[in-house]
Amino acid sequence: MLLYVALGLLVHLVFFASIFDIYFTSPLVHGMTPRFTPLPPPAKRLMLFVADGLRADKLYELDEDGNSRAPFLRNVIMNEGSWGISHTHVPTESRPGHVAIIAGFYEDVSAVAKGWKENPVEFDSLLNETRYTWSWGSPDILAMFAKGDSGNHIFTDSYDASSEDFGAHDVTKLDTWVFDHVKEFFHAARNNQSLLSKLNGDRIVFFLHLLGIDTNGHAHRPTSREYSDNIKLVDKELKEIEATVKDFYGNDGKTAFVFTADHGMTDWGSHGAGHPLETCTPFIAWGAGIRLPQKVSAQNFDDSYLQEWKLENWKRQDINQADVAPLMAALIGVPFPLNSVGIIPVDMLNTSDLFKAESMFTNAVQILEQFKVKMTQKKEATLSFLFTPFKSLSDTKQANILRKARYYIKQKKYDEAVSLCRELIDLALRGLAYYHTYDRLFLASNVVLGFVGWISYASLLIIKSHCNLTRGVSTEAKNPSRLLPYTFVAIGLFVALLLLIQACPWTYYVYCLLPLPIWYAVLREIPVIQGFVTVLLTFRPWCFLGYLLLFILGVEVLVLSFFYRYMLTAGLVAFAAWPLITPLWTRAKRTSLSWILFCFLLAVFPLLPVVGREPDIFLVVGAGLLVLLLSLFAVTSVIKRSDSFINEELVLHLLQMLSIVLSVCVVYGTHKSLLEKQGLPLLNQIVSWTILASSFVTPLLSPPVLFDRLFSILLASMSTYLLLSTGCEALFPLVLSCLMFVWIHMEQETLQQSAVSCKQKVSTIQFACNTDMTQCRDLYLDDIRRAFFLVFFLVTAFFGTGNIASVNSFDPSSVYCFLTVFSPFKMGALIMWKILIPFVLVMCAFEAVQLTTQLSSKSLFLMVINISDIMALHFFFLIKDYGSWLDIGTSISHYVIVMSMTIFMVFLNCLAQMLTTKKLSLCGRPKSHVT
Ligand SMILES: [Zn+2]
Ligand SMILES: [Zn+2]
């Protein structure tokens, strides 16, 4: 058994990790030479302002009174500079946003795996190419670009990480801190000769990172006064900074200014996904080398922003976020960041046409060079007869285009040169993508081969050890050929040799060789397969086909529910009809009725919106009261059952009820205190953490009698869940567990109606007898339904209250009872636990179902894994790396969720087993179970 678990876990981990090799590989290459425009640049220095988390619309739009929140920047748009929307890529997080702005490439998701804390790979940035950079802001962001600074030319000045307090009185201090330090810096520089001489050089960047708006957005949402006021403050300070700098340099007209944001923010104060509110950020540039506003009468855009913002007559020039990097590099005349894939927006430049054409030419050469390096790398790593080059951009074509562009520049046909270079860049980028995804098909087919092999193997295991199907078949079926192992070893050696010649990374060996042992294990079981087929042939074809169709339909509903949550509602409604079409309805009317009722109640949750809900603390309080009401019933039954009035069980129950009451009070108190801006009271914080810690212990103290233990688990997890809730999701685990309780009864009923004898009454079953299960029975078709129910309930546990967007987007408001200081790991862990609680409830209930129906947990578990593996295979094929960024992100998340669900299930199964069977004693003496 342990071997199977280990093997299964290994197989799943490999499949899970494979997408990081297939889809999320680092796009960076190394070994290019720096390229810069060989003409004097328009600016000597550049000031870059990044307002973290600033949405484009909140900056550009006018407020209710028709006034701009940012009068200074609006004046810049109308009289001094160029403007537009900078479109970011997913994930819309601070780190990838800043990398795109400053280093000019889109950080791939492989960086996620490395936590985004440190640079997963070395990369070149604009700041790296400057003579000197001074930067102010958050330590996380500044450290990213100062790392590896060899010549000591990037200077950082940042505040303490712990001052990023979400609940603190006024987070605009994060911004005023930066502005004050910048002013102070220029003031002090006047009397500091060495600093003064540094400041008077060229190729200088000042980088101001402004975290206040993001922090205010998380804490109060972007529609709040706080967010707007923060924008006003930044705008006012920008004006002063501009004046300070201009004054410092005696209005020499050699300073360029760039204002943008790393990402936007949703209305509910989160970012990370691909909603337009998150991906549209403002971009405004002015000063040296930047074109003055262009008046236009009509502009064509798909959106209606221009009318909303009353900016129809000022030419809007949208850019991609990575385009900012080459623009800034050209302005101050430093080499383009080596891995930049940005295309310089030449229309924004206020320079000679020659400069524009030369910059574009440099840009094309720089991107082409990445293409060449990537191609060489791939070519060297592939056997020459297997190598298929990118056909649209051959060596001769590159040379031709470059020669032609040079010729145009010489002939002063600058526009032609620019458009030709743009064409070349386009081809080079497509070629880069081609080589980046070169091995994808090969790796993907290997992974799928292994996956299908594993599913077949798991099915064979179930059939072999737990079905009477094969018993009737003669066991004399011929043994598999002796040649089989040799054949597999030979294939393995051949594959390994091929990989060795091509110097493939070690992970490739894993993907290519793993299918071999799996398929060997499958083919070794040929007699079982033959037996199974013989039995299948005895079935009536229509009956068999009907079951097969039902199974496929069920899996498809599950897959669709990832895209449309209302499919879960449809599924639950279908579940509600289940007792009606079976004899259950006549046998157990009350159980059936409650089953129908709770199915319908639970079916409501997937229809509720998941994001953008206003917090409703009264629903949380209501959920707490409902739990208390339920537990009162339980207490009365405990009192009735036991002989003495006061016993250990009762004390435990009362303690757990107390923790629910405390949770409700803490949630209410914290909510009120945060509304009044008094931060999180320390007492609330202590109580919250205590409840969380105790919730892991209290269920273990309760007697392992089936319903007592389950109820104790429900109370413990509910008290934590209430603390982590902000609205109607608080009711979800409650309704879910009610349905689970009924489910246990229903399964008991189905068992009584089938031939299996049932010895025990459900209320007396103890969890402990799980370990000595000897009366395992054979599997029936009904067990496939049970396995399917479990998978369905697990998916419901996840999508009942959330969807991909709510997982991707980071909404800190639900952990405010525990902490308000930004701490991604603690917050992430708490939110993770909140997502896991419904899973734990379902798994514990399933543990009970296994027990009451005397199922072999191993085969049932294998069936469950098989169903989710079939789903995972679906999502593996549905992974996209094209289309909108939202589609890409979502498709990846689906796969990740379904794979981690499978891997988690092993973990959850252990957790559920522990929660249900372990028993701690309060007073240290072994306690006799009450039965
Ligand atoms: Zn950010
Ligand atoms: Zn943020």
Side-chain angles (χ1 to χ4, degrees):
M1 175 69 187
L2 203 66
L3 188 75
Y4 295 131
V5 172
L7 182 70
L9 212 58
L10 174 79
V11 167
H12 282 90
L13 283 176
V14 169
F15 293 153
F16 182 65
S18 73
I19 56 165
F20 287 97
D21 261 337
I22 299 175
Y23 292 100
F24 312 141
T25 44
S26 171
L28 301 189
V29 284
H30 298 281
M32 291 82 62
T33 35
R35 305 273 175 179
F36 58 94
T37 316
L39 289 171
K44 279 174 81 175
R45 64 201 79 90
L46 182 132
M47 203 147 209
L48 170 65
F49 306 93
V50 179
D52 206 302
L54 174 59
R55 241 155 79 166
D57 62 333
K58 287 290 159 194
L59 179 76
Y60 291 138
E61 74 186 6
L62 304 175
D63 63 13
E64 309 81 50
D65 309 325
N67 299 320
S68 171
R69 291 189 188 97
F72 168 70
L73 285 172
R74 197 164 174 98
N75 181 52
V76 166
I77 292 171
M78 291 177 164
N79 300 307
E80 281 184 58
S82 298
W83 76 286
I85 291 177
S86 161
H87 296 277
T88 73
H89 280 193
V90 284
T92 43
E93 295 291 352
S94 291
R95 189 193 149 113
H98 280 92
V99 168
I101 295 169
I102 295 173
F105 68 91
Y106 301 104
E107 207 171 15
D108 60 293
V109 192
S110 65
V112 181
K114 281 141 194 157
W116 261 328
K117 271 278 161 187
E118 289 290 307
N119 294 352
V121 277
E122 287 298 318
F123 61 84
D124 183 36
S125 76
L126 174 84
L127 307 190
N128 198 23
E129 303 284 357
T130 57
R131 195 185 299 279
Y132 293 111
T133 292
W134 285 271
S135 52
W136 296 266
S138 151
D140 311 345
I141 299 296
L142 301 190
M144 251 160 65
F145 299 102
K147 195 186 163 200
D149 169 25
S150 52
N152 201 20
H153 67 296
I154 302 176
F155 307 105
T156 60
D157 193 1
S158 48
Y159 36 78
D160 199 33
S162 62
S163 53
E164 296 169 30
D165 190 334
F166 280 90
H169 194 64
D170 185 11
V171 290
T172 53
K173 269 191 230 128
L174 295 173
D175 292 348
T176 44
W177 186 96
V178 170
F179 291 120
D180 290 347
H181 276 69
V182 174
K183 286 182 214 162
E184 222 167 86
F185 169 79
F186 280 107
H187 187 74
R190 290 182 191 269
N191 303 317
N192 182 337
Q193 207 50 50
S194 73
L195 185 56
L196 205 58
S197 67
K198 280 180 188 165
L199 281 170
N200 277 322
D202 58 353
R203 295 193 274 132
I204 285 177
V205 166
F206 303 103
F207 168 36
L208 281 70
H209 172 242
L210 309 166
L211 191 60
I213 294 176
D214 182 69
T215 317
N216 257 321
H218 287 308
H220 306 286
R221 326 230 149 168
T223 44
S224 65
R225 251 192 84 99
E226 285 84 354
Y227 193 82
S228 299
D229 286 350
N230 204 153
I231 296 175
K232 280 180 198 160
L233 173 109
V234 166
D235 183 72
K236 188 180 123 264
E237 293 278 357
L238 279 185
K239 191 177 175 180
E240 287 175 22
I241 294 285
E242 193 209 29
T244 310
V245 173
K246 281 187 171 168
D247 183 48
F248 182 86
Y249 286 108
N251 282 317
D252 66 350
K254 286 285 179 190
T255 315
F257 298 90
V258 170
F259 177 86
T260 186
D262 56 346
H263 50 76
M265 193 173 272
T266 56
D267 275 336
W268 52 97
S270 64
H271 55 80
H275 193 275
L277 290 176
E278 292 162 272
T279 59
C280 289
T281 61
F283 178 82
I284 304 172
W286 70 101
I290 298 292
R291 194 162 181 172
L292 294 178
Q294 302 168 65
K295 289 273 201 158
V296 284
S297 49
Q299 303 189 62
N300 267 332
F301 282 99
D302 291 338
D303 47 54
S304 56
Y305 291 146
L306 284 167
Q307 291 76 11
E308 285 164 25
W309 302 338
K310 308 230 163 33
L311 285 168
E312 297 103 312
N313 298 327
W314 285 269
K315 191 174 176 196
R316 162 181 157 192
Q317 301 181 56
D318 280 14
I319 56 168
N320 289 314
Q321 198 171 31
D323 300 344
V324 182
L327 174 70
M328 294 193 296
L331 283 173
I332 54 170
V334 298
F336 292 14
L338 289 175
N339 289 110
S340 162
V341 292
I343 306 171
I344 179 167
V346 281
D347 287 341
M348 283 193 185
L349 289 177
N350 178 25
T351 56
S352 64
D353 287 339
L354 173 65
F355 185 85
K356 288 181 195 174
E358 281 289 356
S359 298
M360 202 66 191
F361 188 80
T362 315
N363 201 171
V365 170
Q366 171 251 335
I367 291 178
L368 186 65
E369 193 147 355
Q370 293 181 57
F371 166 79
K372 284 188 194 159
V373 169
K374 194 131 202 170
M375 185 179 79
T376 318
Q377 278 179 0
K378 201 86 282 175
K379 204 169 178 175
E380 277 169 3
T382 316
L383 288 175
S384 53
F385 66 93
L386 288 173
F387 182 72
T388 24
F390 181 63
K391 295 208 175 57
S392 315
L393 193 58
S394 61
D395 287 351
T396 45
K397 187 157 184 189
Q398 295 165 25
N400 279 340
I401 297 180
L402 285 177
R403 200 181 316 119
K404 208 164 157 192
R406 262 277 144 247
Y407 173 77
Y408 278 144
I409 293 177
K410 222 173 257 168
Q411 296 285 306
K412 299 202 164 56
K413 291 180 179 168
Y414 299 122
D415 289 346
E416 282 90 338
V418 166
S419 63
L420 199 63
C421 288
R422 205 166 271 160
E423 198 180 300
L424 180 60
I425 290 177
D426 190 48
L427 280 173
L429 287 178
R430 272 173 43 206
L432 264 178
Y434 171 80
Y435 286 118
H436 186 55
T437 59
Y438 191 79
D439 292 336
R440 190 169 289 181
L441 183 70
F442 168 70
L443 286 180
S445 2
N446 271 304
V447 168
V448 169
L449 194 69
F451 219 102
V452 172
W454 165 256
I455 294 175
S456 330
Y457 179 61
S459 316
L460 281 178
L461 271 187
I462 301 170
I463 294 165
K464 193 180 161 193
S465 49
H466 289 276
C467 281
N468 51 7
L469 286 176
T470 52
R471 263 171 227 164
V473 186
S474 76
T475 44
E476 291 161 33
K478 60 179 182 293
N479 276 326
S481 153
R482 281 225 195 105
L483 280 174
L484 200 65
Y486 298 116
T487 324
F488 272 89
V489 170
I491 297 175
L493 284 176
F494 178 69
V495 171
L497 191 70
L498 267 185
L499 294 175
L500 193 70
I501 294 171
Q502 306 191 50
C504 290
W506 66 270
T507 44
Y508 282 40
Y509 291 84
V510 178
Y511 303 138
C512 298
L513 295 178
L514 191 65
L516 289 174
I518 297 175
W519 278 104
Y520 173 67
V522 172
L523 291 183
R524 227 179 35 175
E525 306 291 351
I526 278 183
V528 182
I529 302 175
Q530 283 169 339
F532 184 58
V533 170
T534 331
V535 173
L536 277 190
L537 289 179
T538 62
F539 266 87
R540 273 169 300 164
W542 286 118
C543 189
F544 174 70
L545 216 63
Y547 279 123
L548 194 69
L549 274 179
L550 203 65
F551 182 76
I552 293 173
L553 185 76
V555 172
E556 291 308 312
V557 166
L558 278 177
V559 169
L560 278 175
S561 68
F562 276 66
F563 297 94
Y564 316 103
R565 286 168 71 229
Y566 59 74
M567 288 311 288
L568 287 177
T569 304
L572 282 168
V573 170
F575 279 8
W578 169 48
L580 300 180
I581 52 171
T582 53
L584 277 173
W585 176 247
T586 42
R587 283 171 46 93
K589 266 220 171 66
R590 255 180 46 198
T591 322
S592 303
L593 272 178
S594 5
W595 170 261
I596 293 170
L597 172 75
F598 284 116
C599 274
F600 276 118
L601 272 183
L602 195 66
V604 174
F605 285 92
L607 296 177
L608 299 173
V610 280
V611 276
R613 285 186 304 230
E614 281 301 301
D616 190 346
I617 222 68
F618 289 101
L619 277 172
V620 182
V621 174
L625 293 181
L626 270 179
V627 177
L628 281 180
L629 200 71
L630 258 178
S631 43
L632 272 182
F633 285 117
V635 168
T636 45
S637 77
V638 169
I639 293 174
K640 252 186 237 163
R641 207 173 42 200
S642 60
D643 4 299
S644 63
F645 187 70
I646 293 180
N647 61 359
E648 207 175 285
E649 274 172 64
L650 193 64
V651 172
L652 191 74
H653 258 302
L654 292 179
L655 268 180
Q656 289 201 300
M657 282 170 72
L658 183 72
S659 82
I660 297 270
V661 174
L662 276 177
S663 294
V664 170
C665 294
V666 166
V667 165
Y668 187 75
T670 309
H671 184 76
K672 220 174 123 201
S673 149
L674 283 177
L675 268 188
E676 290 162 4
K677 293 221 182 143
Q678 285 167 343
L680 167 65
L682 184 67
L683 181 69
N684 288 13
Q685 202 174 359
I686 294 172
V687 172
S688 301
W689 285 104
T690 318
I691 291 176
L692 176 66
S694 70
S695 73
F696 291 101
V697 185
T698 39
L700 304 182
L701 293 170
S702 69
V705 181
L706 194 110
F707 283 115
D708 289 19
R709 178 54 71 96
L710 285 180
F711 198 75
S712 179
I713 294 172
L714 171 65
L715 283 184
S717 45
M718 265 316 274
S719 58
T720 322
Y721 201 85
L722 287 176
L723 287 174
L724 290 165
S725 300
T726 55
C728 56
E729 82 265 25
L731 290 163
F732 179 72
L734 190 60
V735 177
L736 185 69
S737 343
C738 289
L739 185 65
M740 292 298 106
F741 279 109
V742 183
W743 183 32
I744 299 169
H745 281 290
M746 291 287 277
E747 291 297 356
Q748 185 77 6
E749 293 292 339
T750 56
L751 209 65
Q752 276 165 0
Q753 95 191 358
S754 70
V756 184
S757 67
C758 183
K759 292 160 205 133
Q760 274 178 302
K761 260 194 74 169
V762 68
S763 56
T764 60
I765 296 177
Q766 288 203 5
F767 271 116
C769 61
N770 215 358
T771 44
D772 48 65
M773 182 175 300
T774 44
Q775 69 270 61
C776 277
R777 54 182 178 78
D778 287 331
L779 288 175
Y780 294 97
L781 272 175
D782 234 14
D783 295 322
I784 299 182
R785 179 189 53 70
R786 282 182 190 116
F788 178 76
F789 269 30
L790 175 67
V791 179
F792 190 91
F793 286 137
L794 283 176
V795 173
T796 312
F798 185 75
F799 285 106
T801 58
N803 65 4
I804 307 295
S806 66
V807 176
N808 278 353
S809 343
F810 164 63
D811 182 9
S813 65
S814 54
V815 298
Y816 277 165
C817 289
F818 290 89
L819 70 170
T820 51
V821 177
F822 183 76
S823 153
F825 286 105
K826 272 189 229 159
M827 286 180 163
L830 283 171
I831 289 175
M832 202 64 203
W833 181 236
K834 182 186 174 184
I835 294 172
L836 275 183
I837 284 176
F839 281 104
V840 174
L841 290 175
V842 173
M843 275 319 263
C844 289
F846 184 65
E847 200 68 25
V849 169
Q850 271 183 18
L851 203 63
T852 53
T853 55
Q854 294 150 23
L855 272 171
S856 144
S857 63
K858 188 184 116 195
S859 355
L860 202 63
F861 197 65
L862 276 174
M863 261 196 285
V864 168
I865 299 260
N866 255 5
I867 294 175
S868 45
D869 277 348
I870 295 171
M871 281 165 67
L873 205 56
H874 261 85
F875 289 119
F876 186 82
F877 285 115
L878 290 175
I879 290 183
K880 284 182 186 169
D881 67 323
Y882 55 88
S884 87
W885 279 96
L886 182 62
D887 291 348
I888 299 169
T890 311
S891 69
I892 292 166
S893 325
H894 284 156
Y895 184 71
V896 171
I897 288 170
V898 88
M899 273 316 263
S900 35
M901 195 173 91
T902 318
I903 296 171
F904 256 133
M905 215 127 60
V906 180
F907 158 75
L908 278 174
N909 200 31
C910 299
L911 183 71
Q913 236 163 42
M914 205 186 72
L915 274 177
T916 48
T917 54
K918 285 271 174 311
K919 167 87 177 103
L920 292 178
S921 177
L922 256 188
C923 328
R925 69 192 152 84
K927 194 185 169 301
S928 57
H929 304 311
V930 184
T931 48

